[in-house]
């Protein structure tokens, strides 16, 4: 349901996004790439707890979440976010391929998974547009 | 070298002592055939103990066995004409029995552990020697015989308890020697009771021979039990080697992921950022160069992932067979149907072994079998994981013909399992592995 909303209500500078990843280098790279492709990175966090807090503060439309977080995994964060009204579209990412998380990807309610080396604005938009 | 010198000296001294003691017995009217049996039994302990001592110097069991063999002949000295030697022979006549009690209760570690067993050994040592002093002074044999009966009974009670208390993996090794001990105890008890009741000289001699032959069963039982023990330890150590190798591969996979893979991915993202910042109007040669670099890098990342997966797939570590086997089926070049899959986690070495068997079987099916379809089934029954990979190809596969499966046979067997390939010409191929979940005893069952 919320998915339609994302496409309709956009930030002045693009779709709002939260990035959760314990690597600062990756957060900077993702920001640099995605800000050039129509996303507004309104918050960043380095772990799952910080990610949830950051989302509750700024309520971005999309959360780009690394699977391996220091205090749990991206699947747990996706589940935690899912419980909130106006929950974001969660896009999981990792430098591992999708096959490494097979069962958990089957069971998660996150919108999908994109390996870091294939991460791009269009790839994220394709996931957002896909019916949940 | 030093240990060897000691053992050779003991062998020479022991043999000389043994023969001399029997000659004293014969000189004083003992029947030669009794002496021959006596000699054979004692020497079996002495030489068997020395031989095993050389093979397992750290295990005190064999030193005790050697001690029994040496002490065996002390009692013969009681017949000597020299009063001091005769007295020593009488008082120390049961040293062999005391050492035998210690040996039986110390097997297989070679150490008498626990209060009950220590009390029995101490009681046997003090009681039997004391009773022999009484016999020397008063000529009354009943106390020594009664004490012998008590010690025999105590050991007879402790043996089944020790067996019962042993871990299951140990029982197989404890069985043969303990059975031999129980038989001997019965023989010794009969001989003692007969002497207490005062049977005739012929009968007493026959009973003594029967007892001695019964005593012979003990070292044989020890040897059989030790073989079992060595075999069990070998199996457990093979399983530990497999587990350690898996752990090393798992760590390598993680290091690859945390290191090179992360960096390659970062470079790939950086290249795409550069590409998009340069915009559409760039020099086509630059664009071409960037695209070539990006493609090369993508291929490099794919190679690295395949290498990491081949080492120890992350999905196996995190999700077990339920995640890892379907991933194998997906990647297989032969369309593979999954018929059954356990959804619980199994011990890591079992999961890894099953994974590599399926991986190899599907690879072979893709390469050699010309199969159009394969099926994969994993199930658990009676504490055993069974994995079957079947295809409808040309068959004729041979496990010994240098396929990767040959290498996996050792791995499966190291876990106490079994790997079979059924592949009649034209009849497809079935690869079956059975792996006990906890067959090796030393492995922990995870979650």
């Amino acid at each position: 349901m919320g998915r339609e909303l994302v496409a309709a209500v956009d930030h002045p500078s693009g779709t709002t996004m939260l990035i959760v990843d314990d690597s600062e280098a990756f957060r900077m790279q993702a920001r640099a790439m995605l800000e050039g492709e129509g996303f507004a990175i309104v918050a960043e966090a380095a772990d799952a707890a910080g990610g949830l807090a950051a989302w509750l503060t700024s309520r971005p439309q999309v959360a780009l979440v690394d699977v391996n977080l220091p205090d749990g995994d991206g699947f747990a964060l996706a589940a935690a976010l899912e419980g909130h009204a106006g929950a974001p579209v969660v896009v999981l990412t990792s430098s591992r391929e999708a096959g490494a998380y097979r069962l958990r990807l089957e069971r998660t309610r996150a919108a999908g998974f994109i390996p870091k080396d294939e991460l791009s604005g269009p790839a994220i938009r394709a996931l957002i547009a896909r019916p949940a | 070298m030093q240990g060897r010198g000691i053992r050779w000296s003991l062998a020479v001294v022991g043999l000389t002592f043994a023969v001399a003691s029997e000659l004293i017995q014969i000189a004083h009217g003992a029947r030669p055939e009794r002496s021959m049996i006596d000699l054979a039994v004692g020497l079996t302990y002495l030489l068997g103990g020395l031989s095993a001592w050389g093979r397992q110097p750290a295990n005190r069991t064999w030193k005790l066995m050697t001690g029994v063999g040496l002490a065996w002949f002390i009692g013969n000295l009681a017949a000597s004409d020299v009063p001091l030697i005769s007295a020593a022979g009488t008082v120390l006549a049961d040293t062999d029995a005391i050492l035998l009690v210690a040996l039986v209760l110390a097997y297989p570690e070679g150490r008498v552990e626990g209060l009950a067993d220590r009390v029995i050994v101490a009681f046997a040592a003090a009681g039997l020697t004391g009773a022999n002093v009484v016999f020397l002074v008063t000529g009354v044999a009943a106390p020594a015989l009664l004490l012998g009966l008590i010690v025999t009974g105590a050991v007879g009670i402790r043996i089944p308890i020790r067996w019962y208390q042993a871990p299951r993996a140990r029982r197989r090794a404890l069985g043969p020697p303990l059975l031999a001990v129980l038989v001997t105890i019965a023989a010794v008890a009969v001989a003692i009771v007969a002497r207490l009741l005062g049977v005739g000289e012929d009968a007493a001699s026959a009973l003594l021979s029967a007892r001695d032959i019964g005593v012979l069963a003990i070292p044989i039982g020890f040897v059989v039990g030790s073989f079992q023990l060595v075999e069990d330890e070998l199996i457990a150590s093979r399983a530990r080697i497999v587990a350690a190798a898996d752990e090393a591969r798992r760590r390598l996979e993680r290091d690859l992921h945390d290191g090179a893979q992360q960096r390659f991915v970062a470079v790939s993202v950086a290249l795409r950022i550069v590409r998009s910042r340069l915009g559409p109007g760039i020099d086509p040669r630059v664009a071409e160069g960037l695209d070539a670099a990006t493609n090369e890098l993508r291929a490099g990342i794919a190679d690295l992932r395949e290498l990491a997966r081949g080492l120890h797939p992350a999905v196996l570590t995190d999700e077990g067979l339920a995640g890892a086997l379907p991933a194998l089926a997906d990647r297989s070049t032969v369309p593979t149907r999954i018929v059954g899959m356990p959804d619980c986690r199994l011990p890591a070495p079992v999961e890894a072994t099953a994974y590599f068997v399926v991986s190899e079987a599907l690879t072979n099916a893709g390469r050699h079998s010309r199969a159009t379809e394969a099926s994969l089934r994993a199930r658990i029954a009676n504490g055993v994981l069974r994995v079957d990979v079947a295809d409808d190809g040309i068959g004729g596969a041979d496990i010994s013909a240098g396929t990767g499966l040959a290498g996996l046979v050792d791995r499966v067997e190291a876990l106490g399992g079994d790997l079979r390939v059924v592949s009649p010409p034209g009849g497809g191929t079935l690869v079956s592995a059975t792996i006990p979940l906890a067959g090796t005893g030393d492995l922990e069952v995870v979650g």
Side-chain angles (χ1 to χ4, degrees), chain A residues 26 28-30 32-33 37 68 75 94-97 99-105 107 115-120, chain B residues 253-254 257 261-262 265-266 268-270 272-273 276-277 301 305 309 314-315 318-319 322-323 326-327 330:
Chain A
F26 175 78
M28 281 173 61
Q29 274 197 322
M33 177 170 63
E37 295 181 338
N68 297 302
F75 299 101
S94 168
S95 53
R96 285 205 167 98
E97 62 204 315
Y101 311 108
R102 189 190 173 89
L103 282 183
R104 285 167 290 175
L105 284 175
R107 291 167 187 167
K116 282 182 179 175
D117 55 312
E118 289 170 24
L119 197 64
S120 70
Chain B
E253 191 278 339
R254 182 135 300 170
H257 167 259
Q261 202 168 319
Q262 301 263 31
V265 165
S268 141
V269 177
R272 271 185 301 119
I273 293 171
S276 84
R277 281 193 182 153
I301 291 173
R305 281 184 177 144
R309 210 166 45 219
V315 66
D318 293 340
E319 301 184 345
D330 285 354

Side-chain angles (χ1 to χ4, degrees), chain B residues 349-431:
Chain B
V350 175
E351 286 187 340
T353 302
Y355 175 87
F356 287 120
V357 167
V358 171
S359 174
E360 194 58 39
L362 288 176
T363 302
N364 287 348
R367 273 188 201 148
H368 314 294
S369 77
R370 289 185 238 152
T372 60
E373 198 189 33
S375 70
L376 161 59
R377 175 172 172 169
R379 63 186 187 282
I380 295 167
N382 304 322
V384 174
L385 170 69
R386 185 186 168 114
V387 184
D388 295 311
V389 180
D391 70 46
D392 61 353
I394 55 169
D398 183 0
I399 200 165
S400 58
T403 63
L405 283 173
L408 283 167
V409 171
D410 283 345
R411 199 193 153 99
V412 172
E413 286 178 355
L415 298 182
D418 189 35
L419 180 64
R420 270 158 213 238
V421 176
V422 181
S423 187
T429 299
L430 169 66
V431 176

Side-chain angles (χ1 to χ4, degrees), chain A residues 16 18 20 34 39 50 81 97 109 114 116 131:
Chain A
T16 53
L18 157 72
V20 187
L34 295 171
F39 289 87
L81 287 168
E97 62 204 315
R109 295 175 68 189
I114 304 171
K116 282 182 179 175

Side-chain angles (χ1 to χ4, degrees), chain B residues 142-273:
Chain B
L145 291 171
L146 264 176
L147 276 166
L149 207 55
I150 291 169
V151 170
T152 307
V155 175
I157 290 167
R158 282 296 298 160
I159 294 301
I161 293 175
R162 271 169 62 83
W163 185 83
Y164 180 76
Q165 286 174 340
R168 264 184 47 176
R170 261 283 142 92
R171 284 189 188 171
R172 290 200 315 158
L174 281 173
L178 298 191
L179 190 67
V181 170
L182 285 178
V183 168
T184 308
I185 284 171
V188 171
V190 167
I192 293 177
V193 169
R195 276 199 58 194
L196 278 172
L197 296 179
V199 293
E201 193 60 29
D202 284 351
S205 169
L207 278 169
L208 275 179
S209 297
R211 182 201 68 179
D212 290 353
I213 291 166
V215 171
L216 257 190
I218 294 179
I220 293 168
F222 278 169
V223 168
V224 174
S226 298
F227 282 157
Q228 190 73 61
L229 208 62
V230 167
E231 193 188 313
D232 288 352
E233 270 161 17
L234 212 61
I235 289 171
S237 99
R238 282 170 85 192
R240 283 195 299 273
I241 290 169
V242 166
D246 281 351
E247 176 55 26
R249 292 168 69 131
R250 201 189 57 72
R251 253 198 325 268
L252 258 179
E253 191 278 339
R254 182 135 300 170
D255 290 348
L256 266 184
H257 167 259
D258 293 346
Q261 202 168 319
Q262 301 263 31
R263 284 180 193 278
F264 278 17
V265 165
V267 174
S268 141
V269 177
L271 273 177
R272 271 185 301 119
I273 293 171

Side-chain angles (χ1 to χ4, degrees), chain B residues 12-361:
Chain B
V12 172
V13 170
L15 264 172
T16 312
F17 176 53
V19 172
S21 79
E22 298 299 348
L23 288 176
I24 291 174
Q25 281 280 314
I26 292 170
H28 291 82
R31 300 169 187 210
E33 70 269 20
R34 264 280 318 135
S35 281
M36 289 311 288
I37 291 172
D38 193 68
L39 188 68
V41 174
L43 289 184
T44 302
Y45 275 84
L46 178 66
L47 301 179
L50 285 171
S51 160
W53 176 352
R55 282 184 178 78
Q56 301 182 345
N59 192 335
R60 299 202 329 181
T61 299
W62 312 123
K63 293 178 189 164
L64 277 169
M65 193 188 262
T66 306
V68 173
L70 286 171
W72 185 260
F73 302 101
I74 293 177
N76 292 341
L77 300 180
S80 168
D81 293 325
V82 184
L84 198 63
I85 293 179
S86 168
T90 306
V91 170
L92 300 176
D94 286 323
T95 309
D96 55 348
I98 296 161
L99 289 174
L100 189 56
V101 166
L103 167 64
V104 166
L105 294 179
Y107 177 83
E109 284 81 10
R111 215 163 275 281
V112 182
E113 309 269 7
L115 185 64
D117 289 347
R118 285 188 179 158
V119 166
I120 291 173
V121 173
F123 177 78
L128 290 175
T129 310
N132 284 334
V133 172
V134 170
F135 174 66
L136 179 70
V137 175
T138 66
V140 181
L145 291 171
L146 264 176
L147 276 166
L149 207 55
I150 291 169
V151 170
T152 307
V155 175
I157 290 167
R158 282 296 298 160
I159 294 301
I161 293 175
R162 271 169 62 83
W163 185 83
Y164 180 76
Q165 286 174 340
R168 264 184 47 176
R170 261 283 142 92
R171 284 189 188 171
R172 290 200 315 158
L174 281 173
L178 298 191
L179 190 67
V181 170
L182 285 178
V183 168
T184 308
I185 284 171
V188 171
V190 167
I192 293 177
V193 169
R195 276 199 58 194
L196 278 172
L197 296 179
V199 293
E201 193 60 29
D202 284 351
S205 169
L207 278 169
L208 275 179
S209 297
R211 182 201 68 179
D212 290 353
I213 291 166
V215 171
L216 257 190
I218 294 179
I220 293 168
F222 278 169
V223 168
V224 174
S226 298
F227 282 157
Q228 190 73 61
L229 208 62
V230 167
E231 193 188 313
D232 288 352
E233 270 161 17
L234 212 61
I235 289 171
S237 99
R238 282 170 85 192
R240 283 195 299 273
I241 290 169
V242 166
D246 281 351
E247 176 55 26
R249 292 168 69 131
R250 201 189 57 72
R251 253 198 325 268
L252 258 179
E253 191 278 339
R254 182 135 300 170
D255 290 348
L256 266 184
H257 167 259
D258 293 346
Q261 202 168 319
Q262 301 263 31
R263 284 180 193 278
F264 278 17
V265 165
V267 174
S268 141
V269 177
L271 273 177
R272 271 185 301 119
I273 293 171
V274 169
R275 180 76 171 84
S276 84
R277 281 193 182 153
L278 287 172
I282 56 166
D283 184 333
R285 281 172 304 175
V286 174
E288 208 175 285
L290 273 177
D291 287 346
T294 305
N295 288 337
E296 199 59 30
L297 192 58
R298 184 172 298 144
I301 291 173
D303 285 353
L304 202 60
R305 281 184 177 144
E306 199 178 323
L307 176 66
R309 210 166 45 219
L311 280 171
H312 195 99
V315 66
L316 184 62
T317 308
D318 293 340
E319 301 184 345
L321 294 180
L325 292 188
L328 278 179
D330 285 354
R331 274 201 306 276
S332 167
T333 52
V334 179
T336 303
R337 207 159 34 93
I338 292 177
V339 186
M341 188 63 50
D343 54 3
C344 55
R345 294 302 302 266
L346 309 173
V350 175
E351 286 187 340
T353 302
Y355 175 87
F356 287 120
V357 167
V358 171
S359 174
E360 194 58 39

